[in-house]
């Protein structure tokens, strides 16, 4: 199974500042034949189901604000919120879909400082 | 708009059974792979199972293999999860989620839409 490790577990960022979340996979999720990274990011607010933010590691889902961006390749990935807004308080998860079982990172809780 | 509505959760004793349902609307259900994900109270997300658009291919997490069965009825736009031999560690909110379109197959197994979830509690 591919193990997904996120860091930090939580972070507090001032409004308008940048938030950066790391996700590392235990093996590469880059498929060489199409050069795609099989990685997605989700946002989960309290009491709500997760919401897809990004897939293919860097493709923003329709309707997701452009302050959210994904980067990285192979085994190291980053989700960046360029200017944190109050509504961005949530837990963020990465997920690999390179192979079954599909696996998620443990989550990173983002709060306002 | 896409809607996924789970039902069937509740309190069950260890060793018991439950059948979860997920009613889909707002998209062509038969064109998409579907997935069950669970989240134990205060914990992270765990993939449980997924099923191809036709229902012919299924996958399970090792933690539920042999106890849970995923199925679908494309005529009724519905996804199911039959859960047998339930254990305390199966206690969680169970979400159904829309996965890849048939045209993309397993390559596109991100989860684009999620239901609100149904709580399953396994306790004596």
């Amino acid at each position: 199974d591919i193990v997904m490790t996120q860091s930090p577990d939580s972070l507090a960022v001032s409004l308008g500042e940048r938030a950066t979340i790391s996700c590392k996979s235990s093996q590469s999720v880059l498929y060489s034949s199409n050069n795609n990274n099989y990685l997605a990011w989700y946002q989960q607010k309290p009491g709500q189901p997760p919401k897809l933010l990004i897939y293919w590691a860097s493709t923003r889902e329709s309707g997701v604000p452009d302050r959210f961006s994904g980067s990285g390749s192979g085994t190291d990935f980053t989700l960046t919120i360029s200017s944190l807004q109050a509504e961005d308080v949530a837990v963020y998860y990465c997920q690999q879909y390179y192979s079954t079982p599909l696996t998620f990172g443990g989550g990173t809780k983002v709060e306002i400082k | 708009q896409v809607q996924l509505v789970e039902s069937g959760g509740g309190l069950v004793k260890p060793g018991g059974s439950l059948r979860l349902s997920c009613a889909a609307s707002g998209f062509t259900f038969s064109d998409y792979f579907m997935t069950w994900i669970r989240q134990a109270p205060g914990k992270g997300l765990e993939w449980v199972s997924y099923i191809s658009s036709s229902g012919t291919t299924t996958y399970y997490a090792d933690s539920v293999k042999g106890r849970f069965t995923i199925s679908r009825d494309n005529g009724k736009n519905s996804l199911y999860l039959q859960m047998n031999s339930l254990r305390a560690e199966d206690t969680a909110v169970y979400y159904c989620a829309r996965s890849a379109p048939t045209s993309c197959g397993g390559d596109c197994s991100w989860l684009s839409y999620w239901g609100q979830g149904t709580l399953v509690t396994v306790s004596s």
Side-chain angles (χ1 to χ4, degrees):
Chain A
D1 298 2
I2 299 177
V3 177
M4 308 300 290
T5 303
Q6 287 182 234
S7 62
D9 291 337
S10 64
L11 75 160
V13 176
S14 300
L15 289 172
E17 296 300 305
R18 179 185 300 261
T20 302
I21 299 168
S22 171
C23 174
K24 295 183 187 295
S25 57
S26 60
Q27 62 189 76
S28 176
V29 298
L30 172 63
Y31 193 34
S32 55
S33 67
N34 59 18
N35 205 37
N36 281 331
N37 287 284
Y38 285 51
L39 185 108
W41 288 96
Y42 302 87
Q43 174 194 65
Q44 186 177 31
K45 297 181 179 180
Q48 295 185 20
K51 172 190 172 185
L52 176 67
L53 296 176
I54 285 168
Y55 56 94
W56 295 135
S58 60
T59 301
R60 206 177 298 115
E61 172 72 332
S62 175
V64 172
D66 60 7
R67 63 180 180 274
F68 292 93
S69 63
S71 61
S73 184
T75 61
D76 292 284
F77 300 91
T78 301
L79 175 70
T80 301
I81 309 171
S82 61
S83 176
L84 191 74
Q85 305 299 303
E87 61 265 31
D88 300 336
V89 168
V91 178
Y92 293 83
Y93 295 94
C94 60
Q95 176 228 335
Q96 66 80 19
Y97 48 97
Y98 183 89
S99 64
T100 54
L102 307 182
T103 47
F104 292 88
T108 295
K109 187 174 185 178
V110 174
E111 299 172 307
I112 305 295
K113 185 187 293 182
Chain B
Q1 73 281 21
V2 172
Q3 279 202 310
L4 299 167
V5 180
E6 301 94 337
S7 61
L11 175 63
V12 62
K13 289 181 167 53
S17 298
L18 274 180
R19 189 193 196 208
L20 306 183
S21 299
C22 173
S25 61
F27 65 102
T28 304
F29 181 70
S30 58
D31 283 349
Y32 288 84
F33 287 43
M34 295 295 294
T35 301
W36 286 101
I37 306 289
R38 68 184 180 184
Q39 187 170 34
K43 302 296 186 184
L45 302 169
E46 180 188 13
W47 171 78
V48 173
S49 179
Y50 87 77
I51 188 167
S52 62
S53 51
S54 64
T56 54
T57 301
T58 58
Y59 291 96
Y60 298 93
D62 285 346
S63 57
V64 308
K65 201 173 295 182
R67 300 187 299 123
F68 289 12
T69 302
I70 190 172
S71 62
R72 64 192 296 161
D73 185 334
N74 287 343
K76 294 183 177 180
N77 291 342
S78 293
L79 175 72
Y80 306 102
L81 187 67
Q82 177 66 44
M83 305 187 295
N84 298 331
S85 303
L86 283 161
R87 306 166 180 167
E89 54 265 35
D90 295 318
T91 294
V93 173
Y94 284 73
Y95 296 102
C96 73
R98 194 184 85 173
S99 188
T102 305
S103 57
C104 193
D107 272 354
C108 302
S109 296
W110 59 82
L111 304 167
S112 49
Y113 290 94
W114 299 59
Q116 290 296 314
T118 187
L119 176 63
V120 172
T121 304
V122 184
S123 175
S124 54

